Amino acid sequence: MAMILKRKSRYILVISSKPIELGSNLSMFFDELSKYIGLFGLAKLSPYFVKKIGEKEFIFRIARGSEREFILALSFVKLNDVAFYSILTSGTIKSLIRKYNEKKKN
Amino acid sequence: MFYDIAYFDVDKGLTKLLGYKKIYCIGKDVTLNEDGDYIIADAQLLHRFKLSNIIGVRVNKVNKALFQKIKESDKLIIIDISNLLSGGDFIREYNTARNILRNAIKIGLRVSLASFAKDEAHLVSALQMLEIAKFLGADEDKAKEILGNGYDIEKKE
């Protein structure tokens, strides 16, 4: 019987144009996202809100190989006139935060 | 190094964070359909300005005769994706932008994409802009070239 391998993930750092409480607006956020990628796309991407690391900085986890679709779809998502910018992608949260701190310094 | 154009002055820190080398501000770095040293002209208003001062031509529909004229003048064609980003008639805006890009590349024009953002809610990061270029039909290398077309201001200076 074929084994279903564990799904590998990627982490994406997203910045909002204004401070927003994403935790309480998640279903709206995913509804907006699915407008562009559809329900199948959403299932394939399996986006998961990991945590907020700043006033406007958020980390999302998505299925590896679907980064591009997520980044593209995010370009069109607006929530209460707040836009979301995909800044960095990485395989681990630790390296994502490290890369972000380096980017902020430069 | 990637570039964009906006209607407002984007903070330097945000510009870097978004992955751009420079986001040109209309009214400060460049003018739009107004006399100046670095003019971005709408296609139908091209004749109003001195050709040497025009750094790019903003285009929002396919006009092959005009594209040929732009090619002869060696000007950059700037595809305005603000309507696509604002989420109005998404599919129509997508097809228009895609057709402009396809025809411009076919003719051999130097192409650039710009958000022409009115505020921060209409900006996108360079990473997103690259994906938009690919979404419009450009391959990886072409997408990078499109975003790297810096409106020649540095060269002129």
Side-chain angles (χ1 to χ4, degrees):
Chain A
M1 196 175 145
M3 243 180 77
I4 297 173
L5 296 172
K6 189 185 164 199
R7 207 183 246 181
K8 291 194 175 175
S9 0
R10 294 281 284 172
Y11 294 92
I12 300 196
L13 187 102
V14 173
I15 294 186
S16 61
S17 59
K18 283 182 207 160
I20 182 170
E21 203 47 66
L22 203 54
S24 53
N25 288 305
L26 264 187
S27 60
M28 260 167 75
F29 177 81
F30 287 132
D31 279 350
E32 271 292 303
L33 199 65
S34 73
K35 246 170 67 181
Y36 295 97
I37 55 174
L39 279 177
F40 283 160
L42 206 60
K44 191 181 142 206
L45 260 72
S46 311
Y48 175 76
F49 173 55
V50 179
K51 63 175 174 179
K52 186 175 178 174
I53 57 162
E55 214 185 11
K56 296 196 281 184
E57 294 105 334
F58 311 93
I59 295 178
F60 280 88
R61 187 183 70 207
I62 51 152
R64 199 172 76 171
S66 314
E67 303 92 297
R68 290 183 162 177
E69 286 157 61
F70 182 77
I71 290 168
L72 178 66
L74 213 58
S75 314
F76 309 107
V77 169
K78 305 266 185 297
L79 207 62
N80 305 326
D81 218 24
V82 174
F84 298 91
Y85 317 128
S86 322
I87 303 292
L88 289 166
T89 64
S90 188
T92 63
I93 296 177
K94 200 177 162 186
S95 74
L96 190 70
I97 294 173
R98 181 177 46 78
K99 280 187 197 173
Y100 179 55
N101 288 334
E102 279 170 14
K103 200 176 170 110
K104 270 205 295 190
K105 259 190 225 166
N106 300 330
Chain B
M1 285 300 178
F2 301 145
Y3 301 85
D4 192 14
I5 306 173
Y7 278 100
F8 67 105
D9 202 3
V10 182
D11 175 70
K12 251 189 176 174
L14 181 63
T15 302
K16 287 269 155 66
L17 215 52
L18 292 179
Y20 294 104
K21 185 183 179 194
K22 175 116 182 129
I23 299 178
Y24 294 107
C25 171
I26 293 170
K28 187 184 162 206
D29 306 309
V30 294
T31 60
L32 180 69
N33 295 325
E34 272 177 43
D35 268 319
D37 288 337
Y38 308 112
I39 306 168
I40 291 166
D42 276 326
Q44 62 275 25
L45 301 173
L46 253 180
H47 62 280
R48 283 199 194 170
F49 309 105
K50 212 168 115 188
L51 203 61
S52 62
N53 288 354
I54 295 171
I55 53 165
V57 183
R58 184 168 73 164
V59 172
N60 51 22
K61 63 179 179 190
V62 177
N63 181 341
K64 287 183 184 170
L66 176 89
F67 284 11
Q68 206 58 49
K69 230 167 94 183
I70 297 171
K71 195 190 175 188
E72 282 159 22
S73 65
D74 197 31
K75 297 296 171 196
L76 190 71
I77 184 167
I78 302 169
I79 303 174
D80 180 355
I81 57 159
S82 59
N83 290 338
L84 182 69
L85 289 173
S86 63
D89 193 346
F90 186 76
I91 295 169
R92 191 169 146 252
E93 295 300 338
Y94 167 69
N95 285 325
T96 306
R98 191 183 162 91
N99 276 338
I100 296 170
L101 183 66
R102 189 172 61 88
N103 280 284
I105 291 175
K106 210 161 78 180
I107 291 174
L109 284 170
R110 287 187 303 125
V111 192
S112 180
L113 285 187
S115 69
F116 287 94
K118 289 181 175 68
D119 52 38
E120 286 186 3
H122 293 90
L123 275 175
V124 285
S125 70
L127 206 60
Q128 287 169 312
M129 195 68 106
L130 263 178
E131 291 308 324
I132 292 171
K134 287 185 226 164
F135 180 52
L136 294 177
D139 61 21
E140 182 90 37
D141 290 340
K142 196 73 194 169
K144 283 184 181 162
E145 188 193 309
I146 286 171
L147 264 73
N149 277 332
Y151 320 117
D152 284 357
I153 287 185
E154 278 86 358
K155 280 184 202 165
K156 276 182 96 176
E157 279 166 353

